[in-house]
């Protein structure tokens, strides 16, 4: 299709630092190099479903590089669960003269993109997962920022732990993979690191805690929100749900701090970092990675190389089939946790 | 007393960024200017009670200025609740040839200092309250750091709130005074600020939340941990206590987020900043204030001006009677909250 | 005057973190509380001279609180040096139905404001000086941010100095007053602090440097850009001027590092922080102070209390006559430098 | 060799954030997993030359993870330029019962290590180059921190540039490779990026500057210290040397700002970041990478796999021959600069 066509962009799923950097790079590369017009779709897949658009010119993407969140808004809307979803999207793209769509999002968003590609919609994906649990790419933007924020928190909590001779549990993001826990734990000098990949023994945690106290230091335990003790999730206060029926965040960290208090006789406390990990200005690393993803995604569009997703391999940006986005969850290999134990005591 | 005497230092109560800066300034000024020897007492009042000391020379206070926590350790031990507490302290001071003691701490620590001063112990106080709720001084160190950290969190959460069209509640420190909530709320551009000084109406909060959504922005609510809704603390999940019988932190923020979810139909979330606010490297402001407090406290000791506490008034460090440390809680005047409402909508 | 009038705002002189926070507070308080319309004048006094305006409504001041610089732009234009300057300003105000003007700026900008007030223009001032050298107020916004940035630099440079056993000179802002040098020097643990208030002896600096090396530590010297060695400014490379005839920044720091290299035989290096100190996001402290200044300036306008300037005294915002803005330069009292020497060795 | 032997560690060359993280990981892994004793050699190769040692046990590496610099000190001493250098090193290692040596450093340090390995000294290398210009590894620690600091500076300078409609030149590190310029330029949204790989045309820079001004924005130019204009280095003030005969840093940035001032008529300014880029606390990314390097280097020692260097390939730590450390300078491919131009205008 000719360079006079328009290219659409949308962001789906959870907030992630770097989304605006991708949008900016896509927009600038499209306009400045490939002579495209760029149109933003608002609120994830709801945008093309309902025809919610936002013009993206050079001025629109000034001053967004260092901003968290997404200027396009996001949602978890799935067009495959909407009546005539695919047809409505095709119609919107046609009405807006959109020759190709760049979809920035995680497993769900890219799963939809993959589906649409199979039905002839020209789509290119940009992977986004703050948990870094996508096997098709070495890293995704947002992850470094989350690790940075969690590490700052661990740094700050360490002096409190030391001053009060107290164990502190820090609960970080990571439902299915412990990458944020592993990296922020390594960077913060954590004395125990617990991920969701393997059930943990509270006795084993207590052993490290006591060893640390015996050395006259205070322990910091970094635990992923998805970590589960031996005995299973039922051991946690599994019944607690919020007004919308979602299981409350913060379960495992708070639970573990109380277990440690009871078993060691030393008053432990938990801090649940929660949403602070996913907002705000991206780190330089994430801005660079997100910018490179955006530049390359637009190149793929310009080359008509649809049904693909950009990915980081080593220091290169490559293209992989969109289906790889959802093929395999990348969890932390257990030997990485074992290796980290040299740093615990 | 001659310059050959020794001066003791201790830190009591909760962790607070800037404690090490005070210790460093006391030590350096004592040694370099007044020709004193300095001896640290460990773990608050437990130090002089049990004779736990730590030598403080110039090398000992290198590299501590930018460190959070306290190299002396802390505790909440109250010698007036210990058998022969005062006598034991007097004995320790005598055995260590300590001519005067500098006590760095909050209401409790300085209350003990005031009591000891009344019994002839030469003591000078340095006020420490991260909540900034001490009437005798304009500001105390640690407060600016806590506000800085809470503001960074609000900054980060704003982009998440906007991207997801969601209300976020940020619970900050402040049991009896709302200074951290007020300042971090002003600095972060909060859309509602709630302190402990006045019971708040959830309906009124909902009004601000809805107004914000109507303007197509997302609201951030900053609430002090000590804030109480109309109806009183029983309205909160007052029954929840941890393994040590302490009421759980995080009550009001989490409760309010759920109330907002139910009443507005918009999914709200709470983030409880907790201990991250009180650890880690102090801001430049707090390092300067803490350093000035330390220098002046040592001057007071050198001049034999005991029973006094250093305080900030405008840009000057002054001395006030130790009893002022505990005389009056400095809460936020209600007109300060009213004034802030111009910035809410 | 009725609430239907319009209030003008402008920012003059050099960049300073917090300007946007003042603009935001003025705008919101004017609209939400006092029912005013707010009009921004662009590029300092050039705005009212040439009728360059920018509407300021609630949307215009969303997302500016944490932004450095000024959304209104700035300039050093002085209407008293322009033909019919005052008349043109009066005409612009009339044409734009501006009942009162809030001028945010330093000595020059507020000097003009004072002059205009004397000629019947209803004007209220907000003081801005990143150097903190205005006697009428305890502190001004921007200063804390500059100190914060300079302190971070000193923190970073310390480890380099230590690792390489090298003296490092850090040149900070401060043409006529050494407040930034004093505060960042205290906060960063500098081993010599040099301000413009008193000529310094290089021999004396060398003594401190050698003492520090003898203790097996490396020295950091913080020097204000306006500091002058004994012998006077001619000693520096006074001839060097840039393309516009301005004396080059960075003179004294670079000069001092070379003097130290030659005299001590230890290779010293200088870092000139320059403009990094005056841009970017304001600290929480500066955001709060700037916001309070803005709220109170609008109150003064609403009360018709013209010819006044807002100022910080202790913890209160007060109003002082505009002429105080230019009356007296607030330099660092020499005893403050002497006091700091306890921390040098 | 048995686990009862001792392992030596040294750090050579310029300061770099993450050195202490390597030392800590080496020490902890050696003691906790491999049952080694660890001995530090002070001040680079001077340590083993002169027998300057420092015991490294678990306590020695507490609280160093987040510290910049190196607790071992550094130097640029080259034993091949010292009389009987190799023999003296062998003797020191023998006297200290050191079975293997871990050398952390850049091209020079690892070149010596490679030479020693050829003479039978069991040595393992850890690569360190803040400029990221080593071909054998994807990234080295310290680089991310330098980029982070440079990006923060660009962020701060942008608002100043915008407020004053002025071009700002930021000179960053990079003598032979422009990686820091490229990454901080991409992350900071620079409007021109200049590296040492290719001579730059000032006219071409002026074109971008003017285009930016025409769009009503202000330009930021990021230039590597090693960048050279057409016409060659003589065009710069090449004569200027400091007291030790070293060419002064800051040449190209300051020169370029003056050229831009003269050619565009718009007053431009330069900021030379200098040493601030290489000191202070490492980013989380660098702490993780440095820690992994340290862990793996000790594994290589334990396995007797000498003459090797650890390196990052994708997400894996691998081992490569030590000679690769000096084989090939990794410069920025020119297409990476071209690609970035889409983001300039």
């Amino acid at each position: 299709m000719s360079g006079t066509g328009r290219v659409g962009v949308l962001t789906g799923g959870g907030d992630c630092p770097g989304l605006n950097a991708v949008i900016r790079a896509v927009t600038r590369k499209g306009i400045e190099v490939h002579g495209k017009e760029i149109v933003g779709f608002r609120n994830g897949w709801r945008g093309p479903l309902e025809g919610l658009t936002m013009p993206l010119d050079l001025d629109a993407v000034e001053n967004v590089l260092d901003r968290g969140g997404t200027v396009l808004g996001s949602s978890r809307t799935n067009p495959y669960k909407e009546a005539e979803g695919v047809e409505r999207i095709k119609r919107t793209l046609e009405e807006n003269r959109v020759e190709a769509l760049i979809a920035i999002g995680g497993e769900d968003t890219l799963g939809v993109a993959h589906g649409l590609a199979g039905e002839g919609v020209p789509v290119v994906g940009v992977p986004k997962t703050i948990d870094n649990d996508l096997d098709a790419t070495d890293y995704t933007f947002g992850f470094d920022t989350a690790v940075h924020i969690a590490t700052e928190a661990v740094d700050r909590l360490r002096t409190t732990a030391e001053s009060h001779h107290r164990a502190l549990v820090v609960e970080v993001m990571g439902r299915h993979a412990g990458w944020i826990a592993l990296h922020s734990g390594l960077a913060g000098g954590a004395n125990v690191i617990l991920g969701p990949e393997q059930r943990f023994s509270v006795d084993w945690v207590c052993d490290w805690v006591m060893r640390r106290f015996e050395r006259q230091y205070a322990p910091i335990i970094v635990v992923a929100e998805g970590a589960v003790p031996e005995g299973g999730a039922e051991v946690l206060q599994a019944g607690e749900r919020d007004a919308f029926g979602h299981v409350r965040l913060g379960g495992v960290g708070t639970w573990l701090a109380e277990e440690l208090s009871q078993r060691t006789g030393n008053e432990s406390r938990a801090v649940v970092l929660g949403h602070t990990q996913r907002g705000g200005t991206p780190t330089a690393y994430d801005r660079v990675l997100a910018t490179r993803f955006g530049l390359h995604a637009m190149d793929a569009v310009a080359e008509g190389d649809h049904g693909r997703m950009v990915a980081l391999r080593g220091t290169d940006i490559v293209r992989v089939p969109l289906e790889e986005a959802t093929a395999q969850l990348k969890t932390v290999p257990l030997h990485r946790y074992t290796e980290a134990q040299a740093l615990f005591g």
Side-chain angles (χ1 to χ4, degrees), chain A residues 131-330:
Chain A
D131 288 351
N132 198 40
D133 55 3
L134 181 59
D135 196 49
T137 183
D138 282 1
Y139 290 103
T140 44
F141 59 89
F143 171 65
D144 187 66
T145 303
V147 170
H148 167 78
I149 295 168
T151 301
E152 276 198 344
V154 173
D155 280 357
R156 290 206 170 270
L157 293 168
R158 179 165 301 287
T159 58
T160 295
E162 297 289 358
S163 300
H164 292 282
H165 317 290
R166 182 182 283 173
L168 289 179
V169 178
V170 186
E171 185 182 304
V172 301
M173 287 191 303
R175 287 192 177 272
H176 306 296
W179 292 108
I180 294 176
L182 178 67
H183 279 238
S184 65
L186 286 173
N191 307 105
V192 177
I193 300 173
L194 302 171
E197 286 83 0
Q198 195 180 25
R199 292 193 176 181
F200 65 86
S201 149
V202 180
D203 284 340
W204 181 83
V205 175
C206 284
D207 286 347
W208 283 114
V209 164
M210 293 315 295
R211 168 143 192 237
R212 187 80 184 152
F213 279 129
E214 278 154 23
R215 288 191 58 229
Q216 307 298 321
Y217 297 104
I220 303 275
I221 298 98
V222 174
V223 57
E225 62 184 328
V228 175
E230 288 175 353
E234 314 81 69
V235 172
L236 307 174
Q237 295 154 297
E240 280 204 76
R241 286 170 185 276
D242 66 18
F244 288 76
H246 301 143
V247 173
R248 269 207 212 150
L249 284 174
V252 68
T254 308
W255 178 85
L256 180 58
E258 290 201 28
E259 287 291 309
L260 294 179
S261 295
Q262 286 176 340
R263 297 193 190 198
T264 68
N266 177 287
E267 191 173 347
S268 303
R269 293 282 177 83
V271 175
V272 180
L273 297 183
H275 284 301
T276 52
Q277 293 162 91
R278 68 183 325 141
T281 194
T283 59
Y285 182 96
D286 280 337
R287 296 188 203 177
V288 172
L289 180 56
T291 296
R292 293 182 74 194
F293 275 174
L295 294 174
H296 284 250
M298 180 51 78
D299 285 344
V301 163
E303 295 170 19
D305 193 12
H306 303 138
R308 310 270 272 171
M309 179 183 84
V310 294
L312 178 72
R313 294 279 168 84
T315 61
D316 295 325
I317 309 295
V318 300
R319 297 179 202 158
V320 299
L322 254 178
E323 61 200 327
E324 287 192 26
T326 55
Q328 176 88 33
L329 191 73
K330 180 175 64 181

Side-chain angles (χ1 to χ4, degrees), chain A residues 20-64:
Chain A
N20 287 325
V22 182
I23 295 167
R24 171 180 175 267
V26 160
T27 301
R28 293 198 60 107
K29 182 112 192 201
I31 293 171
E32 297 275 275
V33 176
H34 298 302
K36 307 287 186 188
E37 266 181 73
I38 313 295
V39 56
F41 288 103
R42 296 190 55 79
N43 303 333
W45 290 111
R46 271 188 55 211
L49 269 176
E50 302 179 11
L52 309 172
T53 64
M54 171 177 164
L56 287 175
D57 59 12
L58 295 186
D59 281 338
V61 295
E62 281 289 330
N63 297 320
V64 307

Side-chain angles (χ1 to χ4, degrees), chain A residues 76-130:
Chain A
R76 300 197 184 276
T77 301
N78 184 338
Y80 285 99
K81 295 180 181 166
E82 305 282 326
E84 300 187 3
V86 176
E87 288 67 33
R88 285 159 63 195
I89 285 180
K90 286 185 170 175
R91 210 178 311 137
T92 301
L93 296 182
E94 199 174 330
E95 283 167 7
N96 285 278
R97 292 181 299 109
V98 170
E99 66 178 84
L101 187 61
I102 294 176
I104 311 164
E107 207 182 339
D108 293 343
T109 305
L110 297 183
V112 170
H114 180 48
L116 290 174
E119 307 196 48
V121 178
V123 62
V124 167
V126 175
K128 181 226 66 166
T129 150
I130 205 161

